[in-house]
Structures are given as C-alpha cells and as structure tokens.
Amino acid sequence: MHFAICSSHFSYLNTTNFPPFITLLFNLSLFPLFSSAFFPPFKRKEETMVVHSQSAALDHCSLIKTCKPTTSVFKGIPVVDLRDPEAKNLIVKACEEYGFFKLVNHGVPMEFFTRLEAEALKFFNLPQSDKDKAGLPDPFGYGFKKIGSNGDVGWVEYLLLNTNPQITSLKSLTVFRETPEIFRSAVNDYIQAVKRMTFEVVELLADGLKIEPRDALSRLLRDEKSDSCFRLNHYPPCPELQALGGRNLIGFGEHTDPQIISVLRSNNTSGLQICLRDKTWVSVPPDQTSFFINVGDALQVMTNGRLRSVRHRVLAESMRSRVSMIYFGGPPLSEKIAPLASLMAKGEESLYEEFTWWEYKTSAYKSRLGDYRLGLFEKKLVVLQANDSNIKFPPFLVKQVL
C-alpha cells in the first residue's frame, strides 16, 4: 500500500482532491519507517503531531514533531579563517561561547562538495524499493524517517557510513554495491579531504587551549580503530507545511552530537538552527562553500565543561530540499573519556565520571534524541544549606570551601 508524501522523491497516492490538512495526515503516515540515526535522541516539550497509519499491516502511529516558528536569523555566528594566524585563539573563543563556528578558507576543493551532492541526490531520487536495499540501518545503511530505535522520527532520509576502512561495516559495503562506482569515489574523496582538515582544526584547538601533547585530540581521530562515521541527510520539500497553521515541521529533532567534533556542510537551503545559552533558538544562514563545526559531548568532557556541546536541530522546508553531509569524529571504542590532565588547574576535580567511548555510545543508543545524555555521567552534586536555601556544588568545590 502506498502513502502520499510531500515530495516526488518517494511513493505516491493522489490526494489532489483532499483538503490540505487531510493531505498532510497521509503524508506523515508514510511507511515503512526505516531506521536508525547513529545518534540517539532527546525529550522535548514540543507539540507532537500524531498521525494514524491506514495500513492494517502496520497498526501504529507515525510521530513527527512540530515547533513554533523562529524568526530570528543569527548574524553573530563566529567565522574562522583556517589560514588566519589567530585561528587557534578564534576557534577556542567560538567553542567556549557557542560550541559552534563557521570555517572558511578551509582548503577542501569545491568540486568535492558539488560532486558528492550530485551523487547523493541521484541516490535519494531512486525508487524507494532501490533505496531500501541499502537498509535497514544497523546503524549503518539507509534510513527513512525513523531516527534511532526509541521512537524519534523526522522529515528526513539518510545514509550512514563508517569512515574507517579497517572496520568498514557490511551495510556500508551494501550501499556501495547498490550505487555506481562514481558515488563511492565521491564519498571517499570528500571524507579524506574533510578528515585532513579536521585534524588540522583540532590541533589548532589544542594549541589554543595549550593542550599537551598537541595531538592529544587528533590522534584519537587518526587512530586505525577510530569510531568515526559519515552521514548524508536529505530533507525533501514539504509544500503542505501551510496546513500546520504557521508551525514548523521537524526534519531532525534537537540534540547534541556525542562524538568529539562534527563537521557539517550543506547546500544553500536553510533549516539548521542552534540553541543559544539563553535557550533561544536561532536560524543559521546556509553557506554551501563553508563548513560548520560543532563541539561534541566527548570534547565537553575532555575539557571538563570549558567547551560545551551545542544543541541543534533541522526544520523542514516547504519548497526546497536540503542536503547535508556530516563527518563525526569519534575516538576508538575502548578510549577512556575524561578531562585532559593538561587542562586541569591545580586541585581541580573532574565534573564527570570516567567512561569509555563504548559505554557512552551504548548509553546514547538507549536515550531519546532530546535527552541530556551527559547527565548520567556527571558527578553527584553536594547540597549545602545556606540562609534556608539549598545550593548545589560539585564535590571538589565543597572540599575547597570546607
């Protein structure tokens, strides 16, 4: 059985005679719900749109969240020129204030962007039955709408691939068996170029933070057992958004990235938003020639909270599709994640319990996209009573006060 959707990229049911809202209901009930974003999700008080499937074989609901429109475009995004002599200090400042910045003059050829984007669109424009041959995600492979295994969905389809040739997954190989060799070549060229650039970025970050040794971060990404991955996201246009009464449809729900660092590039379609420290959501103007760099949860822990992972999301567009490509730089599974000794002041204690990347990744799989996943690994706070008020302090501060 076929269901209507908002784009010619997928299966069809003629709903031209239906009122817009009824059409949207059909659209949001598209199945099957192929899966799995590598990164698990978070709990959020956004309004949820519940759409019941008409399929007898799939007797459950498709849930896609909506949110209030955000009118503010963030014009204060830090911009770092990779060739600027002050780049190391600018990167640190941006990561401390926002956990996010735009990188220009990065040295990755534009032709790598355009070639990969063209090949990705060729794949996403294939008949649904052809794309399904690359799924279900494990977590690698092709997924549609379903993000993780805990009930999160969005207006998105994607390919998730392993970037480490030493541990290439069977699903990654399946994806390339189902696509022309030119696609594999475009993916490999892009990933190799972005990796080299990312190593340079994290080494500049280490310089700016005065981390010793300089390769304390980059060696984890260079490691032959590095658990890094690469994601291609496609957000089809959804013309029926007008039926939502001014609300926005969530393409990919709010979350932080669990790895050390994320490197995103997209086409010129808007949709990306970040959450500022005052909890305000702002739109990030697209720039198809630049990269956007995110601090991940692991880097937040390794800097003992000095750098904060940035919460972000993507909203669906009504008329234009959005294509994004993200390299997630992660450490080996056995790597212990804890604050770096060279960043710790005398007497300073860790805000986090030590854990391995495997432990954090496993915990993340069990969470929702909007959950604060680091909360499970934060050290317990000690409560002191002062003037009838309970004040919470990390244990190391309590020791210093007492």
Side-chain angles (χ1 to χ4, degrees):
M1 180 174 183
H2 293 289
F3 298 86
I5 67 170
C6 295
S7 166
S8 60
H9 298 296
F10 307 114
S11 306
Y12 295 86
L13 176 69
N14 186 358
T15 59
T16 53
N17 296 323
F18 291 174
F21 183 69
I22 299 299
T23 300
L24 183 65
L25 292 183
F26 276 110
N27 287 345
L28 298 181
S29 63
L30 181 64
F31 287 101
L33 296 180
F34 293 114
S35 332
S36 151
F38 174 66
F39 314 100
F42 312 178
K43 291 177 184 172
R44 179 68 175 162
K45 292 182 179 178
E46 293 163 346
E47 180 177 325
T48 298
M49 189 168 250
V50 181
V51 186
H52 292 277
S53 169
Q54 303 300 308
S55 170
L58 295 170
D59 187 20
H60 57 278
C61 296
S62 169
L63 304 174
I64 294 187
K65 294 179 179 180
T66 66
C67 63
K68 294 180 180 179
T70 300
T71 56
S72 58
V73 175
F74 189 46
K75 297 180 180 179
I77 295 173
V79 179
V80 177
D81 183 331
L82 192 56
R83 304 304 159 211
D84 187 331
E86 285 297 305
K88 64 179 183 180
N89 297 320
L90 295 173
I91 290 172
V92 170
K93 186 173 186 292
C95 290
E96 287 179 335
E97 293 182 1
Y98 299 102
F100 179 85
F101 63 93
K102 182 164 83 169
L103 187 69
V104 300
N105 199 15
H106 43 71
V108 178
M110 188 66 187
E111 65 186 80
F112 286 5
F113 295 172
T114 55
R115 186 159 66 110
L116 179 54
E117 183 178 324
E119 293 305 315
L121 283 172
K122 286 180 185 178
F123 173 82
F124 290 123
N125 286 332
L126 289 172
Q128 191 66 44
S129 58
D130 289 346
K131 290 182 288 187
D132 292 345
K133 293 175 183 177
L136 298 167
D138 62 355
F140 302 108
Y142 169 77
F144 173 60
K145 284 183 67 176
K146 188 175 179 183
I147 302 172
S149 57
N150 299 301
D152 292 279
V153 294
W155 193 253
V156 63
E157 61 175 341
Y158 63 87
L159 280 172
L160 186 65
L161 305 170
N162 193 306
T163 65
N164 192 330
Q166 304 298 322
I167 50 176
T168 299
S169 73
L170 292 176
K171 280 294 173 63
S172 294
L173 294 175
T174 301
V175 169
F176 291 126
R177 275 203 303 270
E178 300 299 330
T179 56
E181 174 60 31
I182 189 174
F183 186 30
R184 180 169 193 162
S185 174
V187 169
N188 287 339
D189 288 348
Y190 179 88
I191 289 176
Q192 294 308 311
V194 170
K195 275 185 175 181
R196 288 191 294 270
M197 180 203 71
T198 304
F199 301 156
E200 185 175 358
V201 169
V202 295
E203 287 177 356
L204 284 170
L205 176 63
D207 289 342
L209 290 171
K210 297 181 172 55
I211 294 173
E212 295 292 343
R214 185 176 190 256
D215 68 348
L217 298 174
S218 63
R219 70 171 181 81
L220 302 177
L221 308 185
R222 295 178 190 269
D223 194 292
E224 63 179 11
K225 295 183 179 179
S226 166
D227 188 42
S228 298
C229 61
F230 179 65
R231 188 182 181 101
L232 285 164
N233 286 336
H234 177 228
Y235 303 91
C238 188
E240 289 85 351
L241 283 178
Q242 58 186 349
L244 291 176
R247 295 184 68 84
N248 292 120
L249 186 67
I250 298 294
F252 204 108
E254 64 166 279
H255 63 287
T256 58
D257 296 330
Q259 291 86 358
I260 294 172
I261 192 169
S262 305
V263 180
L264 176 146
R265 183 265 168 190
S266 75
N267 63 359
N268 260 353
T269 299
S270 61
L272 176 64
Q273 295 188 333
I274 62 172
C275 187
L276 303 180
R277 291 195 175 186
D278 64 1
K279 308 304 181 185
T280 301
W281 283 98
V282 293
S283 295
V284 177
D287 183 348
Q288 64 182 356
T289 66
S290 303
F291 288 102
F292 292 95
I293 312 294
N294 294 356
V295 169
D297 294 343
L299 186 55
Q300 177 172 324
V301 173
M302 296 173 80
T303 60
N304 208 30
R306 180 172 172 181
L307 309 184
R308 306 284 298 184
S309 54
V310 61
R311 187 163 287 251
H312 53 288
R313 67 187 181 188
V314 176
L315 305 182
E317 269 272 337
S318 62
M319 302 306 293
R320 300 176 60 193
S321 67
R322 174 179 169 88
V323 177
S324 61
M325 43 199 77
I326 313 103
Y327 166 69
F328 299 95
L333 292 173
S334 61
E335 185 69 25
K336 291 181 179 180
I337 307 299
L340 297 168
S342 61
L343 280 180
M344 302 291 280
K346 185 177 180 180
E348 181 180 357
E349 292 189 22
S350 172
L351 298 176
Y352 307 92
E353 303 288 351
E354 184 178 271
F355 54 85
T356 65
W357 171 240
W358 168 254
E359 289 170 331
Y360 190 63
K361 180 178 174 179
T362 301
S363 173
Y365 269 124
K366 298 175 182 177
S367 68
R368 297 295 300 273
L369 200 56
D371 290 343
Y372 177 54
R373 291 169 291 198
L374 278 177
L376 296 175
F377 299 88
E378 289 178 337
K379 288 189 174 179
K380 299 294 185 290
L381 299 177
V382 176
V383 179
L384 297 180
Q385 190 167 9
N387 299 326
D388 297 324
S389 298
N390 288 333
I391 305 175
K392 295 181 178 180
F393 296 94
F396 74 89
L397 286 181
V398 175
K399 290 179 185 177
Q400 292 177 9
V401 171
L402 298 180

